[in-house]
Amino acid sequence: MAFDTAQYYERLLGDETRTLLAWFYQRNPGVVETAEGLAQRLGLRPERLDGALADHVELGLLARRSIGGHDVLLYDARRRKELDQAVADSLSTAGGAS
Amino acid sequence: MSRPASIERVSTGVAGLDAMTEGGFLAGHTVLAAGSPGTGKTTLGLHFTAAGAAVDEPTVYVSFEYLPEQLYRDAEARGWPLREWEEAGLVRVLCTSPEILLGRDGVSLLEESVRRIGAKRLVIDSMTHFESLGSDPQALRTQLSGLVNQLRLLGVTTLVTHEVSEIVGPAVRLSTWGLEFMVDAVLLLRYVELEGQLEKAIAVLKFRGSGHDRRFRHIQLGASGMTVEDAYKGVEGLTGGSARRLKERARRLV
């Protein structure tokens, strides 16, 4: 199935909160926090992050895991590279077709 | 034949500090670097990490307040490509909270991270944040004692930092919960006032299993990180933070 670049960007950068989250993890891949802790680091109310977190999880950029009895979010920098590569491949294919 | 683990040396990454400790930290030990703000605790942690990368000894670097991007930037400014090392599996920078790091049950984030990259070195910067775990000093002390034991079992050589709130002055309390008694070695980084100037100094207060330099030495923090310089000579009052040259004191006494 072809990679849906538009949907990817919508989920990754579709609004201010999603953009902030993507920007934050791109620079800080080693942040391991609960959803509440992450919201605190970003200066946001936890409920404001819900949709952006769900999309990041859906994209495979964030994984929810229980570690040491805490439900935390872990960032997957390799997945981000895979997705960026998929975008590049998709654009390259589109360019070739025109 | 390899030497027993207890006398293997682990370079601190600072040549002058290696010399002060007769060759570096002892493998598997936990070392506390306590110091006032700006005296080089994080820089020392980065030196220790860089020294590990140089000999293919992976390091887990744990920060609670400083974000990874700040560490990457600080390291880069000193010529250490921390992010590249991380991509190569030589470093794992974690930014989390003390609660998550230690965990409530099962395998903790700390243990998992050390095992995942086969870390030989660990930096926890800083232990001051463990105060957020609770207000009962006895409970905290028990928890930290457990942490130090866990580090021994993991077999990592660990550098932990702790903030000393006093900038200068005679009273230096290293920690409120006796961390200095739990660890194997203690380094004190502090400001001393000498002839109207604030200088930075380092001393090794405790070093189990080995001899060490007992003098305060002047340190410089520059573009290439920390440099340990000559020991203070002909000066008294360094532990009080306000030093005097002995000749001047003698002159005043005449």
Side-chain angles (χ1 to χ4, degrees), chain A residues 4 30 37 50 55 60 93:
Chain A
D4 191 335
D50 288 347
D55 277 349
T93 309

Side-chain angles (χ1 to χ4, degrees), chain B:
Chain B
M1 198 176 80
S2 66
R3 302 158 84 189
S6 61
I7 57 166
E8 275 177 24
R9 294 285 180 164
V10 174
S11 173
T12 64
V14 179
L17 183 55
D18 283 352
M20 288 178 82
T21 54
E22 300 188 353
F25 301 151
L26 291 175
H29 275 195
T30 298
V31 180
L32 167 67
S36 309
T39 50
K41 299 182 297 297
T42 298
T43 301
L44 181 57
L46 289 172
H47 270 287
F48 185 61
T49 304
V55 293
D56 282 337
E57 287 182 357
T59 303
V60 171
Y61 195 113
V62 181
S63 159
F64 299 117
E65 192 172 62
Y66 234 43
L67 286 170
E69 64 176 317
Q70 295 169 294
L71 281 172
Y72 299 142
R73 187 196 57 212
D74 288 358
E76 195 74 42
R78 289 168 176 84
W80 300 317
L82 197 58
R83 195 146 191 179
E84 283 175 28
W85 290 338
E86 191 163 34
E87 284 171 7
L90 283 169
V91 174
R92 170 86 163 112
V93 178
L94 281 178
C95 177
T96 188
S97 67
E99 294 91 335
I100 294 171
L101 185 73
L102 298 186
R104 287 190 297 253
D105 52 57
V107 177
S108 67
L109 178 63
L110 176 66
E111 187 177 345
E112 185 184 294
S113 303
V114 165
R115 293 199 192 288
R116 177 167 291 188
I117 65 163
K120 302 283 183 212
R121 295 169 179 239
L122 172 69
V123 178
I124 302 180
D125 186 17
S126 84
M127 299 297 284
T128 312
H129 294 268
F130 280 80
E131 286 166 9
S132 68
L133 288 174
S135 53
D136 177 359
Q138 189 54 44
L140 195 54
R141 190 174 171 145
T142 303
Q143 201 162 9
L144 289 175
S145 178
L147 169 64
V148 173
N149 284 335
Q150 187 188 15
L151 298 176
R152 288 194 182 108
L153 291 172
L154 286 170
V156 287
T157 308
T158 305
L159 177 68
V160 299
T161 69
H162 191 272
E163 281 164 29
V164 172
S165 52
E166 294 87 4
I167 302 293
V168 288
V172 174
R173 189 150 74 164
L174 297 186
S175 78
T176 51
W177 14 271
L179 184 60
E180 60 271 34
F181 299 106
M182 299 173 207
V183 297
D184 300 294
V186 177
L187 311 175
L188 175 64
L189 295 148
R190 72 168 308 175
Y191 290 101
V192 292
E193 185 193 347
L194 184 61
E195 296 173 339
Q197 282 199 66
L198 274 185
E199 296 186 356
K200 291 166 187 163
I202 189 168
V204 181
L205 299 188
K206 165 181 168 181
F207 208 81
R208 276 185 195 144
S210 168
H212 61 87
D213 190 340
R214 295 176 189 278
R215 294 169 293 180
F216 266 103
R217 285 181 178 268
H218 184 208
I219 53 173
Q220 291 277 9
L221 296 176
S224 58
M226 179 184 286
T227 314
V228 176
E229 301 188 335
D230 293 339
Y232 285 90
K233 284 180 187 164
V235 171
E236 66 172 13
L238 283 163
T239 51
S242 188
R244 292 172 300 279
R245 294 205 183 276
L246 289 173
K247 259 192 279 183
E248 287 179 13
R249 183 168 174 263
R251 199 165 50 230
R252 278 202 306 271
L253 290 173
V254 172

